[in-house]
């Protein structure tokens, strides 16, 4: 049984310069075996998740999903690797994979095979297993800030909040009026550059997959 996850997609670009030290890291963007999909894998809330991060034809829909309420959901940003937990003592994660070709979920594992390959294996009812090897096309992804927020890592410093820009500006203007001097308004911030891997932007509309509603909602 050949495991085909998604159709109608194409991948952009490649990635080189990986080192053996990254061999056990399954995060990053991966090209599926037949080159029809780009899947972004990241650690979200203690599990590995994967979502479609690039599609050739904009506006794709999950039309094969048996759930009528999901047939019209966009395929871009759709979760394909679901809640995959690391197995003790080995560099392997197990969970579920969503096959958009038939709208079904299958038990699956992902296993890094060197720094630039990821093996995925899916099984139907515990047998009739099939798999394929994905090729890395993007660097590993740092831990999402959403993971820290989920654990309550961000704590209050106990200091009073700084005044907002409008309030600070009004106070400054009042002081300047009393002294008879006026200073120029601060310059507008410069436009941000291109989004980094895993950050949402014009060139990367998916961004941090941990913040996708499907993944964040499942984890909470």
């Amino acid at each position: 049984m050949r495991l085909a996850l998604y159709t109608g997609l194409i991948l952009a670009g490649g990635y080189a310069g990986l080192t053996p030290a990254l061999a056990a890291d399954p995060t990053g963007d991966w090209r599926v075996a037949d080159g029809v999909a780009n899947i972004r894998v990241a650690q979200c809330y203690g599990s590995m998740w994967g979502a479609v991060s690039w599609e050739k034809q904009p506006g794709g829909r999950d039309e094969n999903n048996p759930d009528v309420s999901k047939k019209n959901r966009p395929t871009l940003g759709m979760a394909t690797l679901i809640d995959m937990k690391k197995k003790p003592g080995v560099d392997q994660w197990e969970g579920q994979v969503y096959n958009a070709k038939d709208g079904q979920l299958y038990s699956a594992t992902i296993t890094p095979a060197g720094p630039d390959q990821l093996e995925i294996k899916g099984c139907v009812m515990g047998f009739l297993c099939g798999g394929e090897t994905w090729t890395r096309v993007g660097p590993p992804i740092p831990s999402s800030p959403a993971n820290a927020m989920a654990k309550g890592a961000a704590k209050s410093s106990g200091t009073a909040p700084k005044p907002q820009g409008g309030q600070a500006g009004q106070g400054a203007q009042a002081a300047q009026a009393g002294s008879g001097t006026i200073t120029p308004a601060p310059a507008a911030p410069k436009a941000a550059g291109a989004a980094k891997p895993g950050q949402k932007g014009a060139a990367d509309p998916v961004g941090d997959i941990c913040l996708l509603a499907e993944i964040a909602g499942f984890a909470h």
Side-chain angles (χ1 to χ4, degrees):
M1 182 189 77
R2 187 170 182 276
L3 184 65
L5 298 179
Y6 196 73
T7 59
L9 301 185
I10 194 171
L11 300 169
Y15 187 79
L18 300 173
T19 65
L22 303 178
D25 191 343
T27 69
D29 283 37
W30 300 88
R31 174 178 301 177
V32 299
D34 56 6
V36 299
N38 189 17
I39 306 297
R40 176 165 300 159
V41 179
Q43 181 170 323
C44 304
Y45 318 105
S47 300
M48 286 295 170
W49 288 77
V52 178
S53 59
W54 179 269
E55 57 182 1
K56 180 181 180 180
Q57 299 178 348
R61 303 290 170 176
D62 188 21
E63 58 187 16
N64 293 320
N65 197 310
D67 185 339
V68 177
S69 67
K70 294 182 178 180
K71 285 182 177 294
N72 198 43
R73 68 173 178 172
T75 49
L76 185 65
M78 179 182 68
T80 54
L81 299 180
I82 300 171
D83 195 29
M84 307 199 82
K85 305 289 188 182
K86 191 176 187 304
K87 298 177 69 173
V90 294
D91 289 325
Q92 186 177 82
W93 288 256
E94 59 182 350
Q96 291 183 305
V97 60
Y98 176 68
N99 187 344
K101 292 191 70 175
D102 60 12
Q104 300 298 317
L105 288 170
Y106 298 95
S107 298
T109 61
I110 55 173
T111 309
D116 59 355
Q117 291 187 323
L118 186 69
E119 294 179 348
I120 177 168
K121 183 178 181 180
C123 301
V124 180
M125 300 298 290
F127 58 97
L128 295 178
C129 297
E132 63 183 39
T133 300
W134 296 355
T135 302
R136 184 183 290 281
V137 293
I141 297 174
S143 179
S144 167
N147 294 322
M149 289 188 289
K151 296 178 182 178
K155 298 181 180 179
S156 172
S157 63
T159 58
K162 295 181 179 179
Q164 298 298 316
Q167 295 173 339
Q170 292 172 2
Q173 290 174 1
Q176 292 161 3
S179 64
T181 61
I182 298 178
T183 58
K190 296 181 179 179
K196 296 179 181 179
Q199 292 183 333
K200 193 172 183 179
D204 182 5
V206 174
D208 184 352
I209 68 170
C210 298
L211 300 179
L212 295 173
E214 183 178 1
I215 295 176
F218 185 97
H220 293 86

